[in-house]
Amino acid sequence: MKDVLTAVSVICASALICTLVSTFVTDGSTKKILNLVLGAFMICSLIVPVKNAVQSFNIDISDYESAEDISATDDEAYSRAVLSQTKENLEQTLNDLLLQNNIKINSCEINLALTDENSIIISSVCIYISNEYTADKDLIVSITKENFGISPSVITE
């Protein structure tokens, strides 16, 4: 939008300058030459800003929803939102449980799935730890299995 505003401003300023200059020239032959030069100047001042505005115009479609997201029903959209929020809550809960046991993890990833009865199950848990917590691997597995009912994959980074 800024480039279009620049192009319009340059064109208006050029037209105003050309009008003022041609008004002050009274001689016939000088006026013809001046009109020729000003005409070429006007054409250039019209083309360059428009070319720059078009050249810098960028369509970024990554911010738009995909056709799959648009065509989803309200129930599907709600289910996706519930899954996303549940995943975020479970990951935060696991992180907090491990912090209570003085284990700081780099990150964790919990994959969820919906069953046919429309309930949520934990399909997998992956925990990323640093080398200093390698000795606590068994404790991490035991805490996760006790609280989440699934054995995690513990990966040392």
Side-chain angles (χ1 to χ4, degrees):
M1 191 62 159
K2 182 180 175 185
D3 293 327
V4 174
L5 180 63
T6 303
V8 170
S9 300
V10 168
I11 291 169
C12 290
S14 300
L16 181 64
I17 290 170
C18 291
T19 303
L20 289 174
V21 169
S22 66
T23 303
F24 292 120
V25 177
T26 56
D27 186 25
S29 62
T30 308
K31 191 166 189 159
K32 287 181 183 178
I33 293 173
L34 186 62
N35 282 338
L36 180 64
V37 170
L38 291 177
F41 174 74
M42 282 298 293
I43 290 174
C44 289
S45 66
L46 288 170
I47 292 173
V48 171
V50 172
K51 179 192 72 91
N52 290 340
V54 169
Q55 207 171 33
S56 66
F57 187 71
N58 184 14
I59 298 176
D60 185 17
I61 62 172
S62 63
D63 294 337
Y64 298 109
E65 293 181 356
S66 67
E68 181 180 293
D69 291 340
I70 293 172
S71 64
T73 64
D74 289 339
D75 291 338
E76 291 170 338
Y78 181 73
S79 294
R80 273 198 302 271
V82 167
L83 272 176
S84 175
Q85 186 62 48
T86 303
K87 177 182 177 183
E88 186 179 313
N89 291 348
L90 287 172
E91 288 173 350
Q92 184 61 46
T93 300
L94 178 58
N95 192 21
D96 292 343
L97 280 170
L98 293 172
L99 276 176
Q100 287 175 357
N101 290 284
N102 297 322
I103 300 170
K104 186 173 182 314
I105 62 173
N106 294 344
S107 65
C108 65
E109 184 176 327
I110 298 177
N111 293 317
L112 303 175
L114 282 175
T115 63
D116 293 335
E117 294 85 34
N118 212 20
S119 60
I120 299 172
I121 60 170
I122 299 173
S123 58
S124 67
V125 176
C126 191
I127 301 172
Y128 300 94
I129 60 172
S130 60
N131 287 331
E132 66 184 272
Y133 294 105
T134 304
D136 296 326
K137 236 180 194 182
D138 292 335
L139 180 60
I140 292 170
V141 170
S142 124
I143 291 170
T144 306
K145 189 165 184 153
E146 179 183 322
N147 290 287
F148 289 86
I150 190 168
S151 293
S153 299
V154 180
I155 300 170
T156 305
E157 294 183 315

